[in-house]
Amino acid sequence: MADTADTTSGTISIAAPVAVIQGILFDIAQYPSWSTAIKSVEVLTKDDQGRVASAKLVVDAGMMKDRVTLDYDWSAAPSRLEFSLADADLLTAMDGAYVITAEDEGSTRVRYELTVSLSMPIPAMMRHKAEQMTIDQALNQLKTHAEK
């Protein structure tokens, strides 16, 4: 995923080791257990290492409500997990990445990058604000889940 001016991102520090954060983020089927924006996940395909290659998600993140099929790119794992939109009802593009970096033995920095395009015209400022709210909520819920 290219880091463009249209990419919205957020970063959070989590008091949990890298392996814990990777375990949570790499278990895509379990996202609804900690993320209120992800209502359901149906794993469609897995790669030869048993990792999710594509999944259908029902997303309800405020302004962004859709059924999306995402393709996952594990080529930069375990420090980065990228996803891209394969299909959706409303969105025309949705690219993102979780970037995972150890701060020290017991804490991890996670950067969430997201770019969304909708089939309907929405001012860039409103789209950016919705992306930022989605990112902040996801990171805060990840932190809460990982630190419990």
Side-chain angles (χ1 to χ4, degrees):
M1 183 184 122
D3 191 53
T4 67
D6 284 342
T7 300
T8 305
S9 67
T11 304
I12 198 165
S13 179
I14 301 173
V18 164
V20 170
I21 302 305
Q22 290 167 335
I24 295 168
L25 289 176
F26 295 175
D27 191 359
I28 294 156
Q30 291 301 311
Y31 280 18
S33 72
W34 60 268
S35 172
T36 57
I38 309 295
K39 299 304 179 188
S40 66
V41 175
E42 176 190 351
V43 174
L44 301 176
T45 60
K46 292 188 175 188
D47 67 11
D48 57 4
Q49 294 182 44
R51 302 175 299 195
V52 174
S54 66
K56 187 175 289 190
L57 291 79
V58 175
V59 179
D60 183 351
M63 280 178 46
M64 288 190 252
K65 294 179 170 113
D66 206 351
R67 288 189 308 252
V68 299
T69 301
L70 299 178
D71 291 330
Y72 290 87
D73 177 357
W74 296 89
S75 61
S79 62
R80 183 178 178 95
L81 172 60
E82 296 184 15
F83 58 87
S84 59
L85 185 71
D87 188 38
D89 293 341
L90 299 173
L91 298 178
T92 56
M94 183 169 134
D95 296 306
Y98 286 102
V99 183
I100 306 160
T101 310
E103 291 183 320
D104 57 43
E105 198 174 290
S107 66
T108 306
R109 188 174 74 246
V110 179
R111 177 179 165 93
Y112 183 16
E113 303 168 354
L114 184 64
T115 305
V116 175
S117 296
L118 300 161
S119 56
M120 62 195 100
I122 291 189
M125 189 178 82
M126 285 180 63
R127 180 183 52 80
H128 179 75
K129 185 175 181 181
E131 288 173 352
Q132 194 66 59
M133 286 174 46
T134 300
I135 288 167
D136 293 346
Q137 179 185 43
L139 289 174
N140 286 324
Q141 290 178 352
L142 173 64
K143 179 180 176 75
T144 298
H145 181 70
E147 290 180 352
K148 67 178 180 182

